[in-house]
């Protein structure tokens, strides 16, 4: 049977423990999981693509079958180029559902053979998002337990160099 390859796409600006939880779950379901960082973000990222990739590589090095990559353009084109069968996305709370449903159905319209699979991170991470992590950190709050320790270090460096 063909190897099941899943792509977990996102901005990862920065990686949070909710992302990491999803990567761990996904790594157990698929033969290979590629975490793919979108390079042409419209929003202004806090971390460069290289920094985001490094943080992902550091945090996932102990998780088997996981690789980190970058992509630009349409996700379905990248998935096709990789011969992936699955797009993995996380749904933390009901509020994520509408955006995720729209993206999944649009991707299905563009490439019907590609299936989107949704996983839920642990309930303790339902309120964790990259946006809030950045906001809290920039205002001097603690993000301990919300992001991997390496990400916390990088946030500290980033904010103190501003
Ligand atoms: O972490 P994010 O920002 O919620 O991830 C969004 C992402 C990267 C999955 C989405 O913006 C995406 O796939 N962008 C690539 C361009 C594309 O394919 N757009 C059409 C999606 S229906």
């Amino acid at each position: 049977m063909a190897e099941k390859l899943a792509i977990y796409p996102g901005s990862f600006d920065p990686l949070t423990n909710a992302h990491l939880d999803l990567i761990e779950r996904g790594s157990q379901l698929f033969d290979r999981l590629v975490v793919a960082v979108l390079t042409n973000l419209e929003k202004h990222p806090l971390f460069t693509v290289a920094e985001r990739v490094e943080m992902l590589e550091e945090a996932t090095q102990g998780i088997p079958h996981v690789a980190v990559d970058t992509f630009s353009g349409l996700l379905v084109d990248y998935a096709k180029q990789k011969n992936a069968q699955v797009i993995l996305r996380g749904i933390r709370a009901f509020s994520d559902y509408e955006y995720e449903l729209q993206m999944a159905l649009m991707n299905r319209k563009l490439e019907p053979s590609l299936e989107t699979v949704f996983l839920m991170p642990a309930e303790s991470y339902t309120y964790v998002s990259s946006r809030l992590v950045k906001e809290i950190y920039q205002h001097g709050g603690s993000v301990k337990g919300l992001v991997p320790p390496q990400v916390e270090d990088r946030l500290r460096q980033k904010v103190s160099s501003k």
Side-chain angles (χ1 to χ4, degrees):
M1 219 166 69
E3 186 187 62
K4 278 269 176 287
L5 166 63
I7 308 281
Y8 178 30
S11 314
F12 303 105
D13 184 41
L15 169 72
T16 67
N17 281 341
H19 293 132
L20 202 52
D21 179 283
L22 214 81
I23 294 169
E24 278 164 359
R25 288 171 201 279
S27 74
Q28 291 169 25
L29 288 177
F30 304 105
D31 299 315
R32 271 192 316 132
L33 179 67
V34 175
V35 184
V37 180
L38 178 68
T39 60
N40 53 334
L41 263 187
E42 278 170 28
K43 28 193 178 179
H44 295 289
L46 177 63
F47 289 99
T48 65
V49 170
E51 287 171 327
R52 284 181 268 150
V53 166
E54 272 171 28
M55 286 187 274
L56 273 162
E57 281 175 344
E58 284 165 14
T60 60
Q61 61 186 0
I63 310 174
H65 325 297
V66 174
V68 182
D69 195 11
T70 59
F71 79 105
S72 57
L74 283 182
L75 174 60
V76 290
D77 290 339
Y78 170 73
K80 211 160 27 175
Q81 177 207 323
K82 284 276 178 191
N83 287 322
Q85 300 91 340
V86 170
I87 294 171
L88 176 67
R89 290 286 290 174
I91 292 198
R92 291 160 301 187
F94 197 64
S95 49
D96 285 337
Y97 179 74
E98 207 171 313
Y99 169 60
E100 294 298 334
L101 176 76
Q102 194 180 12
M103 266 205 308
L105 294 180
M106 187 59 86
N107 283 330
R108 179 182 282 168
K109 167 92 180 124
L110 295 170
E111 183 48 64
S113 67
L114 201 57
E115 208 61 71
T116 300
V117 170
F118 294 111
L119 290 178
M120 288 160 290
E123 61 268 32
S124 47
Y125 298 130
T126 40
Y127 60 93
V128 179
S129 73
S130 299
R131 186 180 64 80
L132 288 181
V133 160
K134 281 186 283 194
E135 201 170 302
I136 292 163
Y137 208 86
Q138 278 162 342
H139 292 98
S142 168
V143 293
K144 206 171 174 50
L146 306 181
V147 295
Q150 314 92 299
V151 175
E152 216 182 320
D153 290 345
R154 298 246 188 179
L155 275 165
R156 198 170 301 125
Q157 290 163 18
K158 186 67 82 179
V159 172
S160 63
S161 69
K162 279 207 161 177

